[in-house]
Amino acid sequence: MASKQPRRLAIESKGLSLWYGDFQALFDVDLKIREGKITSLIGPSGCGKSTFLRSINRINERHSYVRTEGTVEVFGEDVMGEDVELVQVRRQVGMVFQRPNALPISIADNVMFGYELHTAAKPSRFERDNLIEESLKRVLLWDQVKDRLGDVATSLSLEEQQKLCIARLLPLKPSVLLMDEPCSALDPKATAAVEDLIWELRGEYSILIVTHNMAQARRASDECIFMLMGKVIEHTKTEDMFLTPENQATADYIEGRYG
Amino acid sequence: MSSSFSTTDLNVRNQRNERLFKLLFGLITATLILPVVIIIGTLIVKSEGTLTWAFFTEDPTNGMTEGGIFPALVGTLWLVAVALIASVPLGVAAAIYLSEYAKDNWLTRLINLAIINLAGVPSIVHALFGVGAFVLFFNFGTSILAASLTMAVMTLPVVIVSTRESLQAVPQSFREACWSMGATRWQTIWRIVLPNSISGILTGVILEVSRTVGETAPIMFTGAAFFLPFLPSSVFDQTMAMSLHLYVISTQVPHVPEGLPYGVALTLILIVMVLNSVSIAFRTYLRGKKKW
Ligand SMILES: Nc1ncnc2c1ncn2[C@@H]1O[C@H](COP(=O)(O)OP(=O)(O)O)[C@@H](O)[C@H]1O
Ligand SMILES: [Mg+2]
C-alpha cells in the first residue's frame, strides 16, 4: 500500500470506550495513527494497550461481556459499521501476538494459511512457491528455512516463529499491522532481529506496536502514545516524548518510576 | 565440636518420618493392585483349558453347559459397533459446540450441569429409560438397535466430556492466530483444532468402547437374549452378548462346568485389556509426536 497518498490516517479512534462487564478498560480514547509510520503504544501493565489493539481487529468481541462505544476507523472506514464483514476487517488488519503463535502445520502452510482463507481458487504451484518465498524473504527468514519448508513451524526457534507470524500476514496485503509486545517472549538478540525487521517494514505498512521496552519504543518508532488507566495521556513524536514529555506521568513512566 | 553439616536430632526425626510415609503409601498402593492381580490370576487358573479355538467359534450347546460363545461374541461386537455409530458423531458434535461455539452463559452452564448429572445416572435407570423410549415408544422392540441406543445414551456424557477436554487441550493462542487472520470458527476447527485433538478424541472413544463391552444392565431388557444360538441378521434382531451370557451361565443355568464362566469372564477382561492397551499405546505414540 506504499502507493497510497501519504498523510492519511491508518487508524482513527473517536471516543472509544470499552467495558469488560462492569469494568471499564478504555475511556474515551481518541487516537490518530498515521499511515506508513511506526507508532508505539506504551504504558504500565493493565492500562488497556492490548484492549485498544484488540478493538481494532475486533478480536475482543468473542467475549460476550465486552461492550464498546465510539468508533474505530481503518483508512476512513468504520470497522464496526452495520454492513462490515468481520472477516474482511481481519484480513486487512494483521495482528502479531505477544507469544509467537505459529500454527502447528508446516512452515509453508503457515505462510499460506491466511491467504488461502481469503482466496476462493487454489493458487497454482508457481504462485504458491512465489508467495512463500517472497513473504519469507521479506521477514529475513528465507535462508534459514528454505530447505525445510515442510517442517512443522512450531519446531522453529521463538525468533523464527515470530518472524513467521509476521510473514504469514504479508500475502494478505494488510493495510495495518498491530503488534502486541511482539518481542517480549524473545531474548535480547532475537529482539534486536525482530525489531530490525519491523523497522524494515516501515513505510510499506502502518504499524502500531505495543511495547514495554522504552529503549525499543525510542529506537524503533516515529510516534509514541502513552496510556494510563485506560486513557491516552500523551501522543507525540517519539523524540519529543523522550526528550521533553509534556505530562508529569509520562515523564515518570519513561524514567522507570512506574510499575 | 560438630561441623555445620552434621546431622541434628531434627534431621533424624524427619528422616524417620520420610521412611514411614514412603512405606505406608507403598503398602496402600500394593493392596490396591492386589485385587486386580488376584482376580486375573484366579480367572486364568480356573478357566484352565476352556479357552480353545472352538470356544470362540462354536455355538453354546446342551443348555449352555457345553460348546462355545460365538454368538455372544458376535452379538457384543454388534452392540458396541451400533452404539458407537450413534454416540460418537452426536457426542463429538455436542463437544465441538460446547467447546468452540457456545458462549459462557447460564444456558451453557446448565447444559454442562446436565451432562455431568447424566454421567451419574445409574445404568439400571438408563436401562428402564431405554425400554420406555426405544423398545416401546419408538417401537424398535427388544433389538440390537434399542440396546445399542440405550448404551449410546449412557456413554454420551463420557464422549462429550473426553472430547471437550481434548479440544480444550489445543492452545487458545492457535485459535486466536486463526481468527485474527479472518478464519471463521469452522475453518479454525477444521484446519487446526480437530487435527490437533483427534488423538485425544479417539483415545476417549476407545475407552468408551471398553466400558460398553462389559455393560449388562442397559442391554438386559432392551435387546440382549438369554439364549439365541443364531447370529443377528439386522439391527432389529435380538442377540446374545458376552456380559449377559456370563451372568446367565453363572447364576441362571444349572450344571454349568466350573471352568466355563471363568473362561467367559477372562475373555471379557481380555477384550477390555486389549482395547485399553491400544488406547494407551495410541496416546503414547501421539504424545511423542506432539507439535507444541
Ligand atoms: N478478557 C478480559 N476480561 C476482563 N477483564 C479484562 C480482560 N482483558 C483485559 N482485562 C482488564 O482490562 C484492563 C486492561 O487490560 P489490557 O488491555 O490487557 O492491558 P495491557 O495490555 O495494557 O497490559 C486490565 O485491568 C485487565 O485486567
Ligand atoms: Mg497487554
Side-chain angles (χ1 to χ4, degrees):
Chain A
M1 308 269 139
S3 59
K4 273 188 186 142
Q5 284 272 316
R7 250 174 263 106
R8 282 205 301 161
L9 290 178
I11 306 168
E12 180 171 21
S13 76
K14 293 180 199 155
L16 182 68
S17 294
L18 184 146
W19 290 260
Y20 291 111
D22 294 332
F23 175 78
Q24 186 167 6
L26 294 179
F27 294 82
D28 211 12
V29 172
D30 290 308
L31 277 176
K32 295 181 166 70
I33 312 296
R34 294 203 295 145
E35 180 182 16
K37 303 287 185 200
I38 299 181
T39 305
S40 61
L41 182 51
I42 59 172
S45 271
C47 72
K49 306 180 297 293
S50 301
T51 302
F52 179 68
L53 242 61
R54 290 165 158 263
S55 337
I56 301 168
N57 66 355
R58 293 173 54 187
I59 204 132
N60 260 333
E61 273 174 25
R62 70 192 174 84
H63 304 294
S64 49
Y65 54 88
V66 168
R67 190 166 60 83
T68 52
E69 267 175 22
T71 59
V72 177
E73 289 176 3
V74 170
F75 286 102
E77 290 186 69
D78 185 356
V79 296
M80 289 181 272
E82 289 262 302
D83 49 359
V84 165
E85 178 65 52
L86 182 56
V87 163
Q88 290 298 339
V89 172
R90 296 199 175 148
R91 170 191 189 158
Q92 282 163 45
V93 180
M95 182 169 244
V96 180
F97 294 79
Q98 188 164 356
R99 275 208 68 79
N101 55 1
L103 294 168
I105 49 182
S106 75
I107 295 171
D109 287 342
N110 260 280
V111 178
M112 295 303 292
F113 189 88
Y115 182 83
E116 283 172 356
L117 290 175
H118 297 281
T119 320
K122 213 169 145 44
S124 72
R125 185 76 218 202
F126 176 75
E127 272 177 288
R128 185 183 150 90
D129 290 348
N130 259 346
L131 267 175
I132 292 171
E133 183 172 342
E134 235 174 72
S135 308
L136 289 173
K137 277 189 170 153
R138 198 76 187 75
V139 300
L140 317 171
L141 195 57
W142 175 249
D143 290 333
Q144 289 108 291
V145 302
K146 63 171 186 279
D147 299 321
R148 47 184 176 129
L149 291 172
D151 285 10
V152 173
T154 38
S155 63
L156 296 172
S157 75
L158 285 180
E159 174 190 335
E160 292 166 333
Q161 285 193 43
Q162 197 62 305
K163 286 178 170 176
L164 181 61
C165 289
I166 298 173
R168 72 183 173 195
L169 300 174
L170 305 184
L172 295 173
K173 308 220 178 312
S175 47
V176 169
L177 295 180
L178 307 173
M179 305 193 176
D180 194 348
E181 302 188 37
C183 300
S184 64
L186 308 180
D187 64 47
K189 196 158 152 283
T191 300
V194 172
E195 239 176 62
D196 285 348
L197 164 62
I198 295 170
W199 195 248
E200 276 278 302
L201 298 172
R202 184 178 172 276
E204 196 173 340
Y205 299 93
S206 312
I207 299 174
L208 177 58
I209 176 172
V210 172
T211 176
H212 259 128
N213 181 333
M214 287 310 108
Q216 183 179 53
R218 188 166 189 174
R219 262 194 316 268
S221 67
D222 300 294
E223 295 193 0
C224 195
I225 300 165
F226 174 62
M227 280 182 74
L228 192 60
M229 315 234 312
K231 295 182 183 118
V232 176
I233 303 294
E234 193 161 344
H235 178 187
T236 57
K237 283 195 170 149
T238 301
E239 57 215 57
D240 295 344
M241 181 169 294
F242 283 90
L243 288 177
T244 53
E246 275 171 25
N247 194 291
Q248 187 54 41
T250 315
D252 287 348
Y253 182 73
I254 56 186
E255 282 161 29
R257 268 175 271 150
Y258 258 98
Chain B
M1 277 307 288
S2 61
S3 91
S4 55
F5 289 151
S6 54
T7 313
T8 66
D9 288 350
L10 182 62
N11 295 147
V12 171
R13 204 164 71 220
N14 284 342
Q15 276 155 16
R16 201 172 52 227
N17 282 344
E18 184 72 12
R19 279 194 298 273
L20 184 74
F21 280 107
K22 189 177 164 194
L23 187 70
L24 183 68
F25 293 138
L27 281 176
I28 292 174
T29 310
T31 44
L32 289 179
I33 298 170
L34 210 57
V36 180
V37 175
I38 294 177
I39 290 174
I40 295 181
T42 314
L43 288 180
I44 292 175
V45 172
K46 297 235 180 176
S47 66
E48 160 96 83
T50 43
L51 295 196
T52 59
W53 183 244
F55 181 71
F56 297 114
T57 56
E58 284 178 6
D59 292 346
T61 50
N62 204 0
M64 290 191 271
T65 58
E66 284 167 30
I69 54 165
F70 183 58
L73 207 54
V74 173
T76 289
L77 290 182
W78 270 87
L79 289 168
V80 171
V82 176
L84 273 189
I85 291 170
S87 67
V88 172
L90 291 179
V92 170
I96 289 178
Y97 178 78
L98 289 171
S99 158
E100 307 296 319
Y101 289 95
K103 294 200 162 157
D104 183 22
N105 54 24
W106 65 270
L107 183 63
T108 312
R109 283 196 284 272
L110 191 71
I111 294 174
N112 283 329
L113 196 67
I115 291 170
I116 293 168
N117 281 315
L118 198 61
V121 172
S123 57
I124 189 69
V125 176
H126 278 291
L128 296 178
F129 167 77
V131 173
F134 303 122
V135 177
L136 299 175
F137 183 79
F138 288 108
N139 208 11
F140 296 148
T142 45
S143 60
I144 291 176
L145 187 60
S148 291
L149 288 179
T150 308
M151 287 202 292
V153 170
M154 197 176 81
T155 49
L156 254 182
V158 184
V159 179
I160 294 175
V161 170
S162 78
T163 304
R164 197 178 46 188
E165 270 163 18
S166 311
L167 295 172
Q168 291 294 312
V170 177
Q172 194 64 17
S173 61
F174 292 158
R175 294 184 180 83
E176 284 196 331
C178 295
W179 297 338
S180 74
M181 281 184 276
T184 60
R185 295 269 162 159
W186 176 245
Q187 286 171 320
T188 308
I189 295 166
W190 183 247
R191 302 197 45 182
I192 298 297
V193 179
L194 275 182
N196 287 288
S197 53
I198 194 75
S199 58
I201 295 174
L202 288 179
T203 309
V205 168
I206 297 173
L207 286 176
E208 182 215 343
V209 174
S210 79
R211 186 163 325 172
T212 314
V213 167
E215 282 296 340
T216 319
I219 60 173
M220 196 143 101
F221 313 124
T222 51
F226 270 44
F227 180 63
L228 195 72
F230 317 105
L231 298 186
S233 57
S234 82
V235 292
F236 296 104
D237 290 345
Q238 290 190 45
T239 181
M240 291 184 77
M242 293 286 292
S243 54
L244 186 65
H245 185 59
L246 175 59
Y247 169 70
V248 169
I249 59 173
S250 339
T251 61
Q252 310 289 305
V253 182
H255 314 303
V256 175
E258 208 201 14
L260 198 55
Y262 287 103
V264 177
L266 187 60
T267 311
L268 251 182
I269 287 195
L270 282 178
I271 296 175
V272 172
M273 281 194 343
V274 167
L275 286 169
N276 285 349
S277 314
V278 169
S279 156
I280 290 166
F282 202 52
R283 196 161 41 191
T284 317
Y285 164 71
L286 287 158
R287 205 174 274 160
K289 279 200 352 177
K290 196 126 187 171
K291 302 194 196 91
W292 64 84

